[in-house]
Amino acid sequence: MADLSTLFTGIRFENPFLLASAPPTESESNITRAYDAGWAGVVTKTIGLHPVVNVRGPKTKFLRADNTGSRLSMAKRPDSTVVASWNWELISDKPLDWWVPRLEAIKKAYPTKVLVASIMAGSGTDKELANWQVLVEGVQAAGADAIELNFSCPHMDRVDMGSNVGRDPVLCSVSTQAVKEVARVPVWVKLTPATANIVEEAEATFRGGA
């Protein structure tokens, strides 16, 4: 069999296929099923510290186009094809204390698979910067191979999180720097594309140490 392994940020992947943070990675059972199916790694559903009241399961919408015309709508109808879909859901509603023992168990059972913990806290205060650090220390002690900072999600119940951080170069830099003060594993940043010039935010995360 061909060798599909690759090295990224010092981490070896047995193949270049990685599940992103999303409903398919929101539980221990989903993650282990992904590994069993052959995925080299997963990024967990984003873990936070603040209480989250989630929607009742993923709210997925499908956009359909007429096969014989240009009409687009979300209505399910004959002679149409799904051309796009999107999902609306908040970050994980499971707390850090729920995730930590499960991350430990997953890593113990699948030591050669890559486990990336996606995390999110607020911004703008010393307390929120400390929350980033609490999350980092929890997931890396549990065995996470890398940490993803979620500066991307637009579906948030607080204005100081997610894509609102990712649109502000100062918050990008300060939050990343706080994480890097305690991180011992690679730190990846997921930026929002909903900004005027993503290069500015990317540069700010590099200045923060990503």
Side-chain angles (χ1 to χ4, degrees), residues 144-208:
D145 297 295
I147 295 166
E148 176 191 88
L149 310 187
N150 188 339
F151 295 170
S152 173
C153 187
H155 301 141
M156 290 313 306
D157 56 349
R158 282 175 44 175
V159 297
D160 63 335
M161 289 182 163
S163 59
N164 289 328
V165 175
R167 285 192 287 263
D168 187 320
V170 173
L171 294 180
C172 284
S173 182
V174 170
S175 300
T176 307
Q177 186 175 357
V179 166
K180 287 292 291 184
E181 287 178 359
V182 296
R184 301 187 305 274
V185 296
V187 173
W188 307 349
V189 176
K190 181 166 65 174
L191 291 170
T192 177
T195 184
N197 184 2
I198 198 171
V199 172
E200 294 179 1
E201 287 79 25
E203 182 183 7
T205 65
F206 285 133
R207 287 199 303 270

Side-chain angles (χ1 to χ4, degrees), residues 20 24 33 35-36 40 55 60 67 73 80 85-86 99 124 127-128 131 136 141 148 159 172 176 178 183 188 200 209:
R33 283 171 58 201
Y35 287 154
D36 290 338
V55 294
T60 305
N67 294 339
S73 83
S80 67
S85 66
W86 62 97
W99 275 102
K127 179 181 178 181
E128 290 299 337
N131 285 343
V136 170
E148 176 191 88
V159 297
C172 284
T176 307
W188 307 349
E200 294 179 1

Side-chain angles (χ1 to χ4, degrees), residues 3-196:
D3 181 9
L4 297 179
S5 64
T6 187
L7 195 68
F8 179 67
T9 62
I11 303 169
R12 183 187 178 277
F13 293 77
E14 63 186 38
N15 61 59
F17 298 104
L18 178 74
L19 272 181
S21 175
T25 64
E26 56 81 35
S27 67
E28 180 182 7
S29 60
N30 278 4
I31 291 172
T32 56
R33 283 171 58 201
Y35 287 154
D36 290 338
W39 292 85
V42 301
V43 184
T44 67
K45 195 86 168 78
T46 300
I47 305 165
L49 291 180
H50 74 292
V52 175
V53 179
N54 224 325
V55 294
R56 292 181 63 84
K59 301 298 183 183
T60 305
K61 303 290 186 181
F62 297 95
L63 185 65
R64 293 173 169 85
D66 288 343
N67 294 339
T68 57
S70 58
R71 176 172 173 254
L72 296 171
S73 83
M74 289 184 288
K76 187 175 183 179
R77 58 195 187 279
D79 300 318
S80 67
T81 301
V82 173
V83 294
S85 66
W86 62 97
N87 171 68
W88 186 90
E89 190 179 38
L90 300 180
I91 68 173
S92 176
D93 55 3
K94 302 176 179 70
L96 179 63
D97 289 346
W98 183 94
W99 275 102
V100 164
R102 286 162 177 81
L103 296 178
E104 292 174 342
I106 291 167
K107 196 60 191 177
K108 182 177 181 180
Y110 297 85
T112 64
K113 299 286 189 176
V114 177
L115 182 60
V116 181
S118 178
I119 62 171
M120 178 191 287
S123 57
T125 69
D126 289 344
K127 179 181 178 181
E128 290 299 337
L129 293 178
N131 285 343
W132 282 104
Q133 295 180 335
V134 169
L135 288 164
V136 170
E137 290 174 328
V139 298
Q140 72 181 2
D145 297 295
I147 295 166
E148 176 191 88
L149 310 187
N150 188 339
F151 295 170
S152 173
C153 187
H155 301 141
M156 290 313 306
D157 56 349
R158 282 175 44 175
V159 297
D160 63 335
M161 289 182 163
S163 59
N164 289 328
V165 175
R167 285 192 287 263
D168 187 320
V170 173
L171 294 180
C172 284
S173 182
V174 170
S175 300
T176 307
Q177 186 175 357
V179 166
K180 287 292 291 184
E181 287 178 359
V182 296
R184 301 187 305 274
V185 296
V187 173
W188 307 349
V189 176
K190 181 166 65 174
L191 291 170
T192 177
T195 184

